Amino acid sequence: MYAPHRLALATATAAALTGGLFTFAAASASAADSVKVAHADFNGDGYGDIVAGTPGSYVGGLKKAGQVAVLYGGASGVSGARHTTLSQNSAGVPGTSEANDGFGYAQAYGDFNGDGYDDLAVGTPGEKVGSDANGGTVALLWGSKSGLTGKGVTLADPAPSSHDKWGQTLASGDFDGDGRADLVVGSTAATLYVYRGGFTASGTAPTRSTFKLPIHPGTADYSFGPVHLVAGDVNGDGRSDLVVNGWETKTAYGFNTNYWLPGTASGLSASSVKTLRSGIVTGIGDINGDGYGDIVSGVGWDAGTLDDGTTIPDASTGGRVNITYGSASGPASTAVVNQDTGNVPGGSEKGDEFGWDLDLGDVNGDGYQDIAIGSPFENLGGVTDTGQVTVLYGSPSGVNTTSGGQALAQSTAGVPGSDEKNDHFGMDVKLDDVNGDGRADLVVGSDENSGNGSVTYLPSTGTKITATGSHLTNVGDAGISTSGTPELGASFAN
């Protein structure tokens, strides 16, 4: 999920709202594909793999050229011992590394070419395209028995003059239920491009559709399209739906509006769109086991206006998550959870950023999806902004805020490292089965060592997350330069 984008949003002080309804247009192309699985598996070995983007990393001395590091799963989880690190200077990867390209700023995985191996879509929003300094590109990198080898193609921008930063947001899902992985691409504009699976070796898809969102693309100083995209089946019809985290203004300060677009037999539907509670990042999973995906949106940084209309010009709350339960008709009732709710670990304090990032997965194998929530600006033991991750468990009645919640930090016994100022442990989180035991493990990104970043693996015991058997992967383990602020673990593929 896209911490760099959210960091940029937190500096914005104004934007303008353009109204209007969703509009739809379709264009054609040609080809065949396969459905996205719950976890990424680039080498087809059955273990989940983790992709960590480092768009701020140096490549060949070029600042912020960007890389992606793939940590391959195995019986002992993920670590730097089995990895592939790719940049635009890697053989077969489209393009050439240049300063400020930001390769790896966004990523999404799915079997886009239908060969049985997951592939990776990588956004490079700072890429210069012709005379457009920030035109942006999207690369499709193919999976194989050896994992991601770097072989891939460019997904051509169909409207380069109408936006910047093509590929700054990405998501994949099966929106028409045909068993093929589809891809959604966003930019600074309010238009989303939806590519139906599957892609040919040359990067074409059977069809391409566009959606016009009621989201202003920004101002001259802050050009933002959608903040985040995520796919999941909310209405239980066997097709992926799309949730869009958007960016608008209502007062002098911006606020965030989210939208739900259902999947149909012909793909995403613009006619049934619903407005959701706010949130800058979203995950989808069945928390209460009723067969419908629940929408969990993090509001770590309250961007100007609360849902009740209260204007807040700064991060004056500790953050929260909005949980909108799914139903046959789509989004239904919403619950709000923060660190003052029930027996959720900790307490809500100004600037904690509870909900900065989140993810869902079944940690204990009980059939109910659990939630990992990052609070990267949490102060612990007098250490400023060291960060913490909270795990809340699902149940037949929804998220359990009464008992069983876990709080994990680098000061937790057995967790690698220690609480240090500005570590931002929890800047990104991922719940995936990476050791093959059928239970979701926790993977945590941090700003370790002054922005170098790290990835911490914390396995499931079968009932909860544990530090026993944990691993820490630093930039050096992944072959990434420590120049600048690479921020390994700031952005995991979803």
Side-chain angles (χ1 to χ4, degrees), residues 182-415:
D182 309 319
L183 179 66
V184 184
V185 181
S187 65
T188 56
T191 299
L192 295 176
Y193 291 83
V194 185
Y195 292 84
R196 185 178 179 183
F199 288 86
T200 66
S202 61
T204 59
T207 62
R208 184 184 71 234
S209 307
T210 61
F211 288 92
K212 179 79 171 181
L213 306 174
I215 301 172
H216 192 270
T219 67
D221 292 329
Y222 298 100
S223 295
F224 300 120
V227 181
H228 181 251
L229 307 171
V230 67
D233 186 3
V234 175
N235 57 10
D237 65 356
R239 304 180 183 96
S240 299
D241 310 315
L242 184 71
V243 171
V244 181
N245 298 110
W247 177 251
E248 303 178 347
T249 60
K250 183 176 181 180
T251 65
Y253 299 97
F255 80 111
N256 179 255
T257 300
N258 294 349
Y259 305 96
W260 172 75
L261 288 81
T264 71
S266 57
L268 291 172
S269 170
S271 62
S272 302
V273 62
K274 291 185 179 181
T275 301
L276 303 171
R277 287 288 191 97
S278 61
I280 295 178
V281 65
T282 293
I284 300 174
D286 188 1
I287 300 170
N288 56 10
D290 63 358
Y292 304 108
D294 306 311
I295 301 168
V296 184
S297 296
V299 196
W301 179 69
D302 282 316
T305 305
L306 297 178
D307 296 310
D308 62 4
T310 303
T311 299
I312 49 170
D314 58 18
S316 60
T317 71
R320 69 189 190 280
V321 295
N322 293 320
I323 302 172
T324 300
Y325 291 98
S327 72
S329 58
S333 62
T334 297
V336 180
V337 175
N338 61 33
Q339 287 181 292
D340 289 337
T341 302
N343 291 317
V344 173
S348 189
E349 302 162 318
K350 179 177 178 178
D352 279 354
E353 314 288 9
F354 180 82
W356 176 269
D357 199 78
L358 54 84
D359 199 24
L360 289 89
D362 189 357
V363 172
N364 52 17
D366 63 358
Y368 305 103
Q369 294 278 295
D370 312 310
I371 313 172
I373 304 167
S375 308
F377 296 90
E378 186 90 31
N379 299 338
L380 297 173
V383 182
T384 303
D385 296 342
T386 186
Q388 176 178 282
V389 176
T390 301
V391 180
L392 302 178
Y393 289 84
S395 76
S397 57
V399 63
N400 184 354
T401 59
T402 302
S403 62
Q406 292 182 265
L408 300 155
Q410 288 184 296
S411 54
T412 302
V415 174

